[in-house]
Amino acid sequence: MYYIGLDIGGTKCAASLGKITGDKIEILARNEVKTLPSATETLMALQPFVEEYKAQSGATQAGISCGGPLNSKTGIIVNPPNLADGWYNFPIVEYVKENFGLTARLQNDANACAVAEWMFGAGRGTKNMIFFTFGTGLGAGLILDGKLYAGTNDNAGEAGHLRLAKKGPIGYGKYGSFEGFCSGGGITRLAQEMAMRCKKMPACVEKMGGMSAITTKKLAEAAFDGDSFAKRVFAKSGQMLGRGLSIMIDILNPEKIVLGGVFMRSHALLVPAMKKEIEKEALGISAEVCEIVPAQLSEHIGDIAALAIAKGV
């Protein structure tokens, strides 16, 4: 079967054509445009590509992946912080039906990525799986008893808002949150806090150009090169990752946890402290049946996520 995916992002939006056969997916075409302040103008820019995909494949169904808040039941984008006001309260499913001639489903990006990893990636064959974004922020998608669980109003899985410590870097508007310790921006802020407590500026921070020049990517490079300060930062993030995952393991009893973003690239720096914390904090009977792995769908995760939603769970 052929499907069309629409991946809505803060800086760019993409349309893709995919072919799904069983648990295999092939992206046949993809085009992207700059995200404009107006939802209508952006979708009009994507429309020629969508029409081309329809003519090429005969596809009749579309999936839309977008940051929340949104309403997947009514197909309305509510007010995502990474989109301009011209996207707020926009009935995108209705628009796609009326202007593109496609039936469509809408889902928030973390949930869509969870479905993608469950169908085609690291979570294949599982019945209970949690996916964590671990990118700019920390969002989660929940596959429970073989189905996507989105909650009462599409807000299930906002694990990044959990407070793991009284003090710590800000993430999701909260000091010491899961996102504060375990996200790209959070690790940068964690490094800045830890560097400020040092008697002298850490060598790797000085090499980067000072506190304001710290990035998680540069920090990971330094840690892989053996810098002791950078390794301590990732160890602290790993410890708090283990603490947050322990809560999820105890409550949801998943068989697999899949982590994207920073974890995909830097899991070797995070796993030792993460495992140690899980051994201390999680119920052993639940932890021993839960495998924690990096995501597999790295390069085209946004496109595959939208196409997975088009197929449906």
Side-chain angles (χ1 to χ4, degrees):
M1 287 285 291
Y2 296 93
Y3 300 93
I4 291 172
L6 299 172
D7 181 25
I8 308 300
T11 57
K12 66 181 185 298
C13 294
S16 58
L17 172 64
K19 181 180 180 182
I20 297 176
T21 308
D23 63 356
K24 305 293 183 184
I25 185 167
E26 181 182 2
I27 297 177
L28 304 175
R30 180 186 187 278
N31 293 91
E32 64 181 49
V33 299
K34 182 180 178 182
T35 304
L36 301 171
S38 161
T40 301
E41 288 181 49
T42 308
L43 292 170
M44 284 175 64
L46 285 172
Q47 187 161 357
F49 306 123
V50 174
E51 297 295 345
E52 180 184 333
Y53 300 162
K54 284 172 59 183
Q56 178 182 338
S57 67
T60 60
Q61 294 172 236
I64 306 161
S65 172
C66 179
L70 52 77
N71 189 320
S72 63
K73 296 177 182 65
T74 60
I76 293 174
I77 294 172
V78 181
N79 57 346
N82 64 332
L83 291 173
D85 293 359
W87 287 84
Y88 289 6
N89 298 310
F90 182 72
I92 192 166
V93 166
E94 181 183 336
Y95 181 96
V96 168
K97 181 180 179 181
E98 291 184 357
N99 294 275
F100 295 175
L102 297 166
T103 59
R105 296 185 181 94
L106 171 67
Q107 193 53 255
N108 80 53
D109 49 6
N111 285 349
C113 288
V115 172
E117 285 287 344
W118 179 55
M119 285 183 172
F120 310 113
R124 276 180 296 184
T126 62
K127 197 172 182 181
N128 297 292
M129 184 204 89
I130 305 172
F131 171 80
F132 283 93
T133 57
F134 208 147
T136 304
L138 185 78
L142 310 176
I143 303 294
L144 303 177
D145 201 21
K147 293 181 288 187
L148 174 67
Y149 179 75
T152 303
N153 63 347
D154 291 307
N155 282 303
E158 294 294 358
H161 198 244
L162 292 171
R163 194 189 300 276
L164 301 182
K166 290 182 179 180
K167 296 179 180 179
I170 295 177
Y172 213 138
K174 184 182 284 185
Y175 286 100
S177 67
F178 200 171
E179 183 173 296
F181 285 107
C182 301
S183 64
I187 291 174
T188 295
R189 290 186 288 275
L190 176 62
Q192 290 168 338
E193 288 186 7
M194 291 175 65
M196 287 177 67
R197 294 197 292 270
C198 295
K199 291 182 179 179
K200 58 180 290 187
M201 185 179 291
C204 69
V205 175
E206 192 170 0
K207 186 177 179 181
M208 289 178 207
M211 303 280 275
S212 61
I214 297 174
T215 67
T216 298
K217 182 180 178 181
K218 292 177 185 175
L219 204 68
E221 290 170 354
F224 278 121
D225 285 341
D227 183 85
S228 59
F229 172 78
K231 288 167 72 174
R232 287 201 308 275
V233 173
F234 274 91
K236 182 63 178 179
S237 179
Q239 178 196 7
M240 303 312 282
L241 176 62
R243 187 171 299 180
L245 295 185
S246 294
I247 295 170
M248 306 300 285
I249 289 169
D250 285 353
I251 294 173
L252 298 175
N253 191 204
E255 60 197 284
K256 189 170 281 190
I257 295 176
V258 179
L259 295 108
V262 176
F263 191 85
M264 282 192 301
R265 299 182 290 272
S266 306
H267 57 276
L269 302 172
L270 296 160
V271 165
M274 177 196 80
K275 284 186 173 180
K276 187 175 180 179
E277 191 71 6
I278 289 172
E279 287 172 6
K280 185 175 73 171
E281 293 290 334
L283 285 168
I285 195 169
S286 297
E288 68 184 15
V289 298
C290 180
E291 186 182 5
I292 301 170
V293 299
Q296 289 181 356
L297 308 175
S298 55
E299 189 176 354
H300 298 293
I301 182 66
D303 302 316
I304 296 173
L307 292 165
I309 294 303
K311 182 179 184 298
V313 181

